Amino acid sequence: MLNPRHFLDIDKCDENNLRVILSRATSIKGSEAGVDYSDLLAGRTLVMIFEKPSTRTRVSFQVAMQQLGGMVVVMGEKDSQLGRGETIADTARVLSRYADIIMMRTHDHAKLLELAAYATVPVINGLTDRSHPCQIMADIMTFEEHRGPIRDRTIAWVGDGNNVSHSWIHAASQFGFKLRLACPASLQPNEDIVSKARANGARIIIADTPEIAVKDVDLVVTDTWVSMGDANADQRRQILLPFQVNDNLMAAASDQALFMHCLPAHRGDEVTNSVMDGQQSVIWDEAENRLHAQKGVLAWSLS
Ligand code: CP
Ligand code: NVA
């Protein structure tokens, strides 16, 4: 049997395959104009495993499968035998006999890797403590719809050096854009991820301040200050206060700079209402594109 086409991280997929996924996503999104994709995944079943809550990932994957003619089964950790100690490896072997593809959202990236090691069907990363590749595929699709090719453009990440920032770091080498990150000293992105991305050719600058990071950029991105599973929420909020994306910070960027946030947002913490709802924000297109980008991922993994 051929190796399954997992989608585990952006740096595990070469630029050519990432472009195949995005181009498929764009074709399917534009399908009102012609081709009928409603049977593309007919007879295929996606199982989704959630160890953490979700709105966008859960609904967009489910709707994506249904719109492409497939089916979905959703499993929570607590309402399945995973919550009673059945191993990930055994779960992977069993689910591979029922389903054509598995998506997992987990607290522990190692569990995703174990699932992928034992599954005989493709596994998709639906967010781990380490990364969130499906989100960044949607974000790149959104950027390019608004501003054209992302190669050689400059993106600023402001806030916590978290799982979503790691997928931006992975993407910097694969898609060839420049990335500046402004994060507090104690909440920097994982050093190993940064150094591997640089070794892969990524142009990454760790900026001293948010103002330096955003100067003349094409896109400003942030995320929640307290990710699912993070401890010490109050302390994190204090440390991250100077990293809020507000009108002053957007004014320090270019007036052409877009604003993105993977959502859910904590309005008034990492971003103000004025930026969320302002002219430069493309957050609703970004959320919509989860649906389309994931259709591209599903079609690629199942092809
Ligand atoms: N952005 C994102 O993954 O949102 P959910 O947690 O709602 O899935
Ligand atoms: N960094 C956030 C992203 C949520 C989609 C978290 O992990 O909670």
Side-chain angles (χ1 to χ4, degrees):
M1 180 185 220
L2 290 174
N3 286 335
R5 264 184 155 177
H6 301 310
F7 188 73
L8 300 178
D9 262 320
I10 289 185
D11 69 336
K12 299 285 179 287
C13 205
D14 63 29
E15 185 180 2
N16 184 42
N17 278 300
L18 294 167
R19 283 292 168 197
V20 167
I21 291 170
L22 286 184
S23 128
R24 201 66 190 279
T26 301
S27 305
I28 299 173
K29 182 175 180 179
S31 63
E32 304 84 279
V35 191
D36 179 8
Y37 290 96
S38 61
D39 279 339
L40 188 71
L41 301 183
R44 307 294 189 103
T45 300
L46 165 71
V47 171
M48 299 199 277
I49 305 171
F50 285 98
E51 289 185 350
K52 302 183 183 190
S54 169
T55 297
R56 279 143 289 268
T57 304
R58 177 175 173 156
V59 176
S60 58
F61 265 111
Q62 180 143 3
V63 172
M65 278 305 278
Q66 285 168 353
Q67 290 182 349
L68 298 178
M71 289 166 290
V72 178
V73 177
V74 181
M75 268 174 64
E77 186 204 16
K78 296 214 167 55
D79 59 28
S80 70
Q81 299 291 4
L82 275 171
R84 295 183 59 250
E86 186 166 19
T87 67
I88 294 276
D90 289 349
T91 305
R93 292 174 176 117
V94 171
L95 293 181
S96 298
R97 300 291 178 105
Y98 301 141
D100 300 282
I101 186 159
I102 305 169
M103 190 229 74
M104 186 182 207
R105 169 168 285 199
T106 172
H107 290 284
D108 180 359
H109 194 79
K111 289 190 187 176
L112 175 84
L113 298 183
E114 193 180 351
L115 187 78
Y118 288 93
T120 54
V121 298
V123 170
I124 297 174
N125 177 354
L127 181 145
T128 71
D129 55 331
R130 187 175 170 89
S131 56
H132 196 6
C134 290
Q135 180 67 53
I136 276 48
M137 294 301 280
D139 293 3
I140 287 169
M141 183 174 176
T142 309
F143 180 89
E144 295 196 329
E145 285 175 352
H146 284 268
R147 292 286 186 267
I150 199 165
R151 176 165 292 280
D152 295 329
R153 309 301 282 271
T154 308
I155 317 302
W157 174 272
V158 178
D160 184 17
N162 65 11
N163 47 1
V164 179
S165 80
H166 292 158
S167 288
W168 273 107
I169 292 166
H170 288 152
S173 63
Q174 308 305 75
F175 287 95
F177 56 83
K178 297 175 239 174
L179 181 63
R180 299 191 205 135
L181 298 112
C183 312
S186 58
L187 297 171
Q188 290 288 313
N190 180 294
E191 271 178 38
D192 188 46
I193 291 178
V194 174
S195 57
K196 281 200 178 121
R198 282 180 169 147
N200 260 339
R203 289 168 289 174
I204 295 175
I205 290 177
I206 306 290
D208 288 336
T209 66
E211 289 73 19
I212 292 172
V214 302
K215 190 170 180 332
D216 297 330
V217 294
D218 299 288
L219 168 65
V220 177
V221 194
T222 192
D223 186 14
T224 180
W225 288 345
V226 186
S227 284
M228 294 177 276
D230 279 342
N232 307 324
D234 290 344
Q235 191 188 354
R236 296 175 70 87
R237 282 199 189 91
Q238 282 306 313
I239 295 171
L240 281 153
L241 270 178
F243 294 79
Q244 184 186 66
V245 179
N246 51 33
D247 289 334
N248 287 341
L249 192 68
M250 289 307 288
S254 143
D255 58 6
Q256 290 300 303
L258 299 174
F259 170 74
M260 286 193 204
H261 188 311
C262 65
L263 307 176
H266 298 78
R267 288 168 177 260
D269 279 358
E270 74 272 9
V271 59
T272 56
N273 283 329
S274 55
V275 173
M276 282 280 283
D277 303 326
Q279 293 289 319
Q280 288 160 272
S281 171
V282 290
I283 53 174
W284 311 125
D285 293 343
E286 182 187 8
E288 179 189 330
N289 278 337
R290 291 295 303 278
L291 172 68
H292 307 298
Q294 284 156 198
K295 286 181 179 173
V297 172
L298 288 163
W300 174 81
S301 283
L302 287 168
S303 64

